[in-house]
Amino acid sequence: MSGNVVHLHKEAPEPLADAAAVTTLTVVPDPPAPRPVPLWLRSGRAVRTVVTHEATKTTARTVARHGLYVVGGARIVGRRAWDGRTAARYERMLRAAEAAGNYEAAAEWEERGQRFRDARHRRRMDLLHSPLDAAKGAAVSAGMGVGGLVLLGVAMAVATKDATDVVTPLMAVVKFINLLITIVQVVWGPLLSIGPFLALLALWAVGSKQQAAPQWALPAGARSNEGEPITPSIVVKALRDLGVPALRKAITEMGDAGASMLSPIVIAGCGVEVDVTLPSGVSTIEVQNRRRKLAENLSRHEHEVFITIPTAARTVRLWVADSGALDEPIGPSPLATDDTMTADYAKGRAPWGQDLRGDAAALSLYQRHLLITGLSNQGKTVALRSLALWLSLDKSVQFLMGDLKGVGDWAMFDGLALTLIQGPTDEHVIQVTEMVESAVEEMNRRIQAPPGTQFPPLIVLVDEAQVAFMCPAKDEDKRPYGGAKANSRYFMAVRKIHNQGRAVNVLMWQGTQDPTNENLPKLVREGAHTRASLALGTESQARMALGDKAVDGGAAPNLLRPGLDRGTLVVASDGIQIPAGQSSITVRTHYIDDAAAEAITARAKALRDGVTTLHAVERGEERDPLADIAAAIGDAPRLRTQDVIKRLSALNAEAYGDWSPVDLTRVLEGTGAEPYKSDGRMVVSRDHIARALANRDTDSSASGA
């Protein structure tokens, strides 16, 4: 069995067979020998390997690139020559001015073109007469030249007493001319040979400088357009390729290839700015909704292109950053570098950062409620704190502060703020709510003061205010501290300050994160005069933070990059300078760390005589309003609400001195003893109050058991 392999193996015995294993022989044939690969197939594989090798591709691109540089250079030189010899340049500018509706500029370009044609005509007419004039001039010059040489020869002959010297100057000139002819004869042949190569080299130099080759042929570094300067042709091409059929068709049909759509491109900070007048049939929203594609067409990242709507109809304003410029940090805050800086609440502006143009962004805080929101860990507290730090340098300003995060971000205001509450618990929310309510009482006191009375600014600042709105705790009258209902204590206190506080310099500043209708009620966010937002997750959140007008005008905090754009705010306020026609501005805020903040507050404390900071709201004597109402009614079966309020005020002026019928109704609501009408007047029943007290005591006993 030569050539075969014999395998010995044991098969499992049948159930009734002998227990011994049965040995069998199995013959396995040899595998077939591999067939030889044809020579043509091996050659094809080798050729494919060579052709697809990276070195081959690189060599092919290099050869094609340098050849196309010559072609591109010839095209560029030809275009330049054509523009220089004809009025094509003036015609292009004339058509662009007419398309833009700028007829004054169109008339000016037409006049320039006509002057160019007149000058060209004069030059051509001069060329007709130039041969005759040149011949006459040459004859005169030759005669004068020969005569001069003869006179020079005569002078030489007289001096040397040799008559042959008369022709010596003429012969010298003849020999010089003969030498020039000899030099030309020697050089002319090689010059004709290398001339074309020099011309090709010049065209290649022009083409290589302008990168006049297709993208696929350029080197890897040059193929990337990232960071290339923004030019009108690039902007028009980006708009043409935006995917809006009407826009593409209009640009194609324009005689100037779309140049009339653009305003002059101007440098704006770390980027450029241009206004684009869209053709009829194209809406601004169609461009806004394609921000990412537009950025990619401009060789930029999405966050490096901002689209806003100016006042002009059917116009979008594009701001395009220099590539990578927005990732560079801005300089330190003047608060940290200038130890002599002071603040002026009424007339000054807080140095907050820089806008995208690179100009200083300063915010007026005078009689403006403030709201800053954004996702967590995006720089909200630092941005809010920097405003408070600047304002602290005005010694007339007073602060009531509640930090519902409680990690020490506002600890440096201890000894500067009248009240500083720090902590995230429900008890801290209760304290902050009572702090805001005390500001409401101060506001009411100021409102009741004689007209013309001047009051120092009182800033009521609550950081992480969403904790207060979401607090489930209730007071002894079952009124919730959180929420957004008519009996929600924090919500109502903030609303009262928003409604009337500005006139008497009682201002509400709030910082919140991740806004929703639950943790940032509509009435509260719309009560702020200055609204600013860091990076957000969705457009709906952006509308909550800044309002519909700002978002419709191009504000897009939801397009900021969380983490990468930390500290960058989109601001909607009349307290900051916003370019005409825009409804918001993007500000890159200065970062002030804790050490610098402590140094600034130390300077602020030095301006004041000394402030004792309370870390909890002082509560007066605990009163039982229901029992006090029963005592005020006494033995009378019923009593008018106004009389009840007067007796309560006499009982304890501190607790009930500012009560109104609304407060009385609020306390009695849900007890079964609410005021009711009797003989046309609102009264409170003694029996109803007694029953409410008995029911409350019964409920308390049952819950205690």
Side-chain angles (χ1 to χ4, degrees):
M1 300 192 309
S2 176
N4 295 322
V5 179
V6 179
H7 293 276
L8 297 176
H9 65 89
K10 297 179 181 180
E11 294 182 348
E14 294 293 333
L16 299 178
D18 191 329
V22 179
T23 303
T24 62
L25 293 177
T26 303
V27 178
V28 179
D30 290 336
R35 297 176 61 184
V37 179
L39 179 61
W40 64 268
L41 183 58
R42 284 182 289 173
S43 301
R45 290 175 179 173
V47 170
R48 186 178 63 181
T49 302
V50 172
V51 171
T52 59
H53 194 272
E54 188 60 33
T56 305
K57 293 180 180 180
T58 303
T59 303
R61 278 198 300 266
T62 302
V63 173
R65 177 170 67 251
H66 290 288
L68 291 169
Y69 278 165
V70 176
V71 177
R75 185 175 64 253
I76 294 171
V77 171
R79 188 187 304 115
R80 291 175 180 174
W82 177 258
D83 286 345
R85 302 293 297 175
T86 68
R89 160 186 309 119
Y90 302 97
E91 292 293 336
R92 284 200 305 271
M93 301 305 296
L94 173 61
R95 288 196 302 270
E98 287 178 342
N102 191 346
Y103 297 108
E104 293 182 1
E108 181 180 353
W109 282 112
E110 184 178 15
E111 183 181 353
R112 290 184 181 182
Q114 188 59 43
R115 287 200 301 266
F116 172 83
R117 294 185 184 92
D118 292 342
R120 183 180 60 184
H121 177 71
R122 286 195 299 271
R123 289 194 301 270
R124 289 175 177 175
M125 296 303 297
D126 291 342
L127 287 175
L128 296 176
H129 302 285
S130 60
L132 182 60
D133 294 340
K136 292 180 179 179
V140 173
S141 299
M144 294 179 63
V146 171
L149 292 174
V150 170
L151 290 176
L152 179 61
V154 171
M156 292 176 61
V158 172
T160 59
K161 298 183 180 356
D162 187 357
T164 59
D165 285 343
V166 174
V167 296
T168 297
L170 287 173
M171 295 305 298
V173 172
V174 170
K175 290 180 180 179
F176 178 71
I177 294 174
N178 185 53
L179 177 62
L180 290 178
I181 293 173
T182 303
I183 292 173
V184 170
Q185 289 176 340
V186 173
V187 173
W188 184 251
L191 187 62
L192 288 178
S193 300
I194 66 173
F197 295 101
L198 293 176
L200 291 176
L201 182 61
L203 294 176
W204 176 88
V206 173
S208 63
K209 183 177 181 180
Q210 299 293 328
Q211 296 286 304
Q215 287 292 315
W216 59 266
L218 295 176
R223 283 200 299 272
S224 173
N225 293 327
E226 183 173 345
E228 65 179 344
I230 300 299
T231 62
S233 61
I234 289 176
V235 176
V236 172
K237 186 176 182 298
L239 292 168
R240 185 194 67 193
D241 299 338
L242 200 55
V244 182
L247 180 59
R248 182 181 185 88
K249 181 179 179 181
I251 292 175
T252 304
E253 293 177 351
M254 288 181 183
D256 58 350
S260 60
M261 298 167 53
L262 309 183
S263 70
I265 297 177
V266 296
I267 296 176
C270 57
V272 296
E273 190 174 79
V274 59
D275 284 357
V276 181
T277 302
L278 301 176
S280 177
V282 181
S283 171
T284 56
I285 193 65
E286 293 181 276
V287 177
Q288 283 184 297
N289 289 342
R290 291 170 171 81
R291 178 186 175 190
R292 175 176 295 182
K293 189 171 185 179
L294 178 61
E296 293 171 350
N297 291 349
L298 293 169
S299 301
R300 295 294 190 272
H301 297 291
E302 184 178 11
H303 71 277
E304 294 176 328
V305 175
F306 288 82
I307 306 173
T308 55
I309 309 299
T311 53
R314 216 172 63 241
T315 302
V316 293
R317 178 168 294 160
L318 306 181
W319 185 87
V320 184
D322 298 335
S323 185
L326 294 184
D327 296 326
E328 298 294 329
I330 65 174
S333 170
L335 288 172
T337 58
D338 186 359
D339 293 340
T340 63
M341 176 175 283
T342 58
D344 187 338
Y345 162 75
K347 300 178 181 178
R349 291 177 178 264
W352 212 6
Q354 294 180 359
D355 61 17
L356 296 179
R357 294 170 171 267
D359 299 329
L363 179 67
S364 172
L365 303 173
Y366 178 65
Q367 292 189 345
R368 290 179 175 89
H369 302 303
L370 175 68
L371 172 66
I372 300 180
T373 188
L375 297 178
S376 177
N377 196 31
Q378 297 305 309
K380 166 181 55 62
T381 296
V382 173
L384 182 60
R385 189 176 68 182
S386 65
L387 298 178
L389 288 171
W390 176 80
L391 200 55
S392 69
L393 297 176
D394 183 339
K395 64 181 181 180
S396 67
V397 177
Q398 302 171 347
F399 292 98
L400 300 178
M401 291 185 167
D403 174 16
L404 293 176
K405 184 189 297 182
V407 295
D409 290 335
W410 299 88
M412 66 286 300
F413 282 86
D414 193 354
L416 185 59
L418 299 177
T419 302
L420 176 61
I421 299 169
Q422 303 179 86
T425 67
D426 288 350
E427 179 57 33
H428 291 104
V429 172
I430 293 172
Q431 290 285 333
V432 167
T433 301
E434 293 176 349
M435 177 191 77
V436 178
E437 289 175 339
S438 69
V440 173
E441 294 176 2
E442 172 63 16
M443 176 189 72
N444 291 333
R445 184 189 68 80
R446 295 183 177 190
I447 291 174
Q448 295 170 6
T453 305
Q454 297 297 318
F455 300 103
L458 176 61
I459 307 300
V460 186
L461 189 153
V462 179
D463 195 12
E464 305 296 342
Q466 76 279 354
V467 177
F469 286 113
M470 300 301 290
C471 178
K474 296 183 179 181
D475 62 13
E476 63 277 3
D477 296 324
K478 306 301 181 182
R479 294 181 62 204
Y481 287 94
K485 297 181 179 179
N487 62 343
S488 299
R489 292 182 59 176
Y490 180 79
F491 170 76
M492 290 305 299
V494 172
R495 287 291 299 137
K496 290 176 181 178
I497 294 177
H498 278 174
N499 290 338
Q500 295 179 297
R502 184 189 64 82
V504 289
N505 287 331
V506 177
L507 303 178
M508 191 74 209
W509 291 10
Q510 294 183 99
T512 69
Q513 64 175 254
D514 201 11
T516 65
N517 284 321
E518 288 72 30
N519 65 24
L520 187 58
K522 177 181 176 66
L523 291 177
V524 170
R525 59 183 187 251
E526 291 185 351
H529 302 100
T530 296
R531 300 167 71 173
S533 176
L534 296 117
L536 288 172
T538 64
E539 182 180 325
S540 62
Q541 287 185 315
R543 292 183 181 277
M544 292 180 191
L546 300 176
D548 291 336
K549 180 181 179 182
V551 175
D552 292 338
N558 53 300
L559 297 181
L560 295 175
R561 302 166 298 166
L564 297 177
D565 290 324
R566 184 179 289 113
T568 299
L569 288 161
V570 182
V571 185
S573 172
D574 61 351
I576 193 169
Q577 185 174 358
I578 296 178
Q582 295 181 204
S583 56
S584 64
I585 187 172
T586 301
V587 177
R588 304 171 69 198
T589 58
H590 295 295
Y591 176 73
I592 302 178
D593 59 23
D594 291 347
E598 290 175 357
I600 295 169
T601 52
R603 289 159 42 200
K605 293 172 186 177
L607 297 174
R608 293 164 170 80
D609 295 332
V611 177
T612 301
T613 299
L614 301 178
H615 298 282
V617 176
E618 293 183 347
R619 295 186 175 95
E621 179 185 357
E622 291 290 340
R623 306 294 305 184
D624 184 348
L626 199 56
D628 287 344
I629 292 172
I633 295 176
D635 296 331
R638 67 181 65 87
L639 196 65
R640 291 189 307 167
T641 55
Q642 291 289 354
D643 294 335
V644 173
I645 292 171
K646 290 179 181 178
R647 294 187 183 186
L648 286 173
S649 179
L651 181 64
N652 191 309
E654 182 179 355
Y656 305 116
D658 59 350
W659 266 36
S660 67
V662 175
D663 297 299
L664 181 62
T665 303
R666 172 179 53 80
V667 169
L668 296 178
E669 185 177 3
T671 63
E674 295 85 350
Y676 63 94
K677 270 192 176 182
S678 176
D679 297 330
R681 296 187 178 184
M682 298 300 293
V683 298
V684 179
S685 170
R686 179 191 63 188
D687 295 339
H688 292 174
I689 295 295
R691 189 182 308 115
L693 283 170
N695 292 338
R696 187 184 67 179
D697 295 339
T698 302
D699 293 341
S700 299
S701 301
S703 61

